[in-house]
Structure formats: C-alpha cells, structure tokens
C-alpha cells in the first residue's frame, strides 16, 4: 500500500502546529493503524522543552497516539467531535529527539457506547519509547 | 453465593481497580451504574472488555449492555446464558 500522504488533513481536524501525524503507512479501520511522525528541531514546543536539550514532551507522544487512533475510524473525522476520555498505564521508556522517525502503532481493543479503547506504542528504529492505553469518545 | 456470581464480582473489582472492596460488599441486586456501585461509561467499556476476556461472552450493543449491566445478578444471568438475557 502506498503511504497515505494527502489524505491526512481530510481525515483529522487537527492543524499546524498541532497536527502530529505526518503519514499513515498501514490502516485497517476498527482493527489497527500505523502512522509516522518525523521530529525536527523546528517543532515549536522544542524551543522551550528544553533550551539546549530538546526532547518531545511525553504528553505529546500520547497525543500522537490519539491522532493515529483517529485512523481506526473508517470515516473522516473532519468536523467530528472526538475527545480523549482517558489515559491508562502510560509508560515513557526513552525520550524522542529531533531527527527521530517515530512509528505510531495503534490497535483497537474494543468499543462500547461510542467509547473506544486503544492500545498504542511509539517506537523509533525498533526501540519502544512510549506505551499506553487510550480511551477516545466520539460524540 | 454461586461460583459464577463470585467470579463476576471478582472480575468487576479487578478490572475496575475497586481497591479495598471485597465481593461480599457488592450487593447482588444493586444497580452497577448511577446509584449503587456508581460506575460510569468508561467503566462500562472496561466491563465489556473484561467479560469478553474472562468469560468469552460478547456484549454486542448498547441495548444488550443496558440489560446485562442492571445488576450483578443480571450480569451473571447474561454470562450464564447470553442468548436468553
């Protein structure tokens, strides 16, 4: 499958500087999605996190997983209300740094009454940086 | 307490991390949501996943969930005979 490059802004409502998915490389709605984010020194949040020692805030790794999780939905989320309802068992194992190509892997664990549970992993070159379960609510 | 009902209560306590609670503190007939145990919609999803994992029973939709989640008793009945409930 070709990387999905142009479809991202049509699918997610997020925009610069908060669109944190660069491309989607695998997508099976309702089951699994894999996306990528390339971290550069130009990221606005790296100016102050931290001065002289840039590293991606852990909460943004969770946001990346949540945005990648948007691709588990079959239909476009553009204009749709989707919210983060919970974060469970988040682990930050190693920092994400400028130059890293982050692999965002999400798997649907189940859904009930508009609420979906996602298991996500952020990794770089085969190393796990962050794992977490997320709950997202679609209204 | 029937064996299955005890396992259902243990699953609820474990899955929802109701620390310090014991199975005999959960009333068989008290509502799980709102009053009673006071669970919310996030707990409902956890229970759906727990029931599937522990008992191999799927709660297909909200209507089935509403019936099953009325109380521990109704949940136990649902797990014993998913087609009947």
């Amino acid at each position: 499958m070709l990387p999905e490059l142009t479809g991202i802004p049509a699918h997610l409502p997020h925009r610069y500087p908060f669109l944190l998915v660069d491309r989607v490389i695998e997508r099976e709605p309702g089951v699994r999605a894999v996306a990528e984010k390339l971290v550069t020194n130009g990221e606005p949040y790296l100016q102050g996190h931290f001065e002289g020692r840039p590293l991606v805030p852990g909460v943004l790794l969770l946001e990346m997983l949540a945005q990648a999780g948007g691709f588990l939905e079959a239909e476009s989320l553009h204009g749709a209300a989707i919210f983060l309802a919970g974060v469970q068992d988040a682990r930050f194992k190693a920092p994400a740094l400028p130059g890293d190509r982050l692999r965002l892997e999400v798997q649907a664990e189940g859904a009930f009454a508009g609420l979906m549970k996602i298991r996500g992993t952020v990794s770089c070159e085969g190393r796990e940086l962050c794992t977490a379960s997320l709950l997202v609510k679609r209204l | 307490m029937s064996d299955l009902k005890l396992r259902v209560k243990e699953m609820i306590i474990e899955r929802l991390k109701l620390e310090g609670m014991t199975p005999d503190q959960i009333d068989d007939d008290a509502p799980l949501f709102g009053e009673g145990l006071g669970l919310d919609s996030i707990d409902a999803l956890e229970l759906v996943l727990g029931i599937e994992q522990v008992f191999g029973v799927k709660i297909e939709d909200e209507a089935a969930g509403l019936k099953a989640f009325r109380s521990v008793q109704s949940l136990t009945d649902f797990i014993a005979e998913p087609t009947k409930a």
Side-chain angles (χ1 to χ4, degrees), chain A residues 44-106:
Chain A
Y45 46 84
L46 292 180
Q47 282 185 37
H49 193 281
F50 295 95
E51 200 177 4
R53 190 169 182 250
L55 53 95
V56 180
V59 287
L60 289 188
L61 298 179
L62 299 178
E63 176 64 24
M64 287 173 196
L65 289 175
Q67 291 187 17
F71 291 91
L72 292 170
E73 301 277 350
E75 293 154 35
S76 165
L77 296 176
H78 202 33
I82 186 159
F83 299 102
L84 192 55
V87 176
Q88 299 172 339
D89 306 317
R91 296 279 184 280
F92 304 99
K93 302 172 183 189
L97 308 169
D100 282 352
R101 176 197 291 260
L102 302 180
R103 182 180 164 91
L104 316 170
E105 210 167 334
V106 289

Side-chain angles (χ1 to χ4, degrees), chain B residues 11-75:
Chain B
M11 184 274 296
I12 293 172
I13 290 170
E14 205 221 300
R15 192 83 196 186
L16 303 182
K17 302 188 173 81
L18 303 175
E19 278 158 35
M21 204 160 199
T22 57
D24 54 359
Q25 286 174 305
I26 302 176
D27 190 337
D28 290 359
D29 299 309
L32 296 177
F33 295 88
E35 289 165 53
L37 269 187
L39 306 184
D40 61 21
S41 59
I42 291 175
D43 296 322
L45 172 57
E46 286 298 335
L47 285 187
V48 168
L49 297 176
I51 291 159
E52 199 176 325
Q53 223 171 60
V54 178
F55 302 103
V57 173
K58 262 194 162 175
I59 293 183
E60 296 288 355
D61 53 24
E62 273 181 76
L66 275 179
K67 269 193 205 165
F69 291 149
R70 268 195 299 240
S71 64
V72 167
Q73 186 61 58
S74 63
L75 185 53

Side-chain angles (χ1 to χ4, degrees), chain A residues 1 4 11 21 23-36 64-73 103-108 118-121:
Chain A
M1 201 202 321
E4 189 178 326
H11 190 83
V21 170
R23 64 180 174 190
V24 177
I25 50 181
E26 285 175 49
R27 184 170 171 217
E28 200 179 333
V31 181
R32 182 183 129 81
V34 181
E36 284 184 334
M64 287 173 196
L65 289 175
Q67 291 187 17
F71 291 91
L72 292 170
E73 301 277 350
R103 182 180 164 91
L104 316 170
E105 210 167 334
V106 289
Q107 233 165 337
I118 295 168
R119 184 79 202 148
T121 303

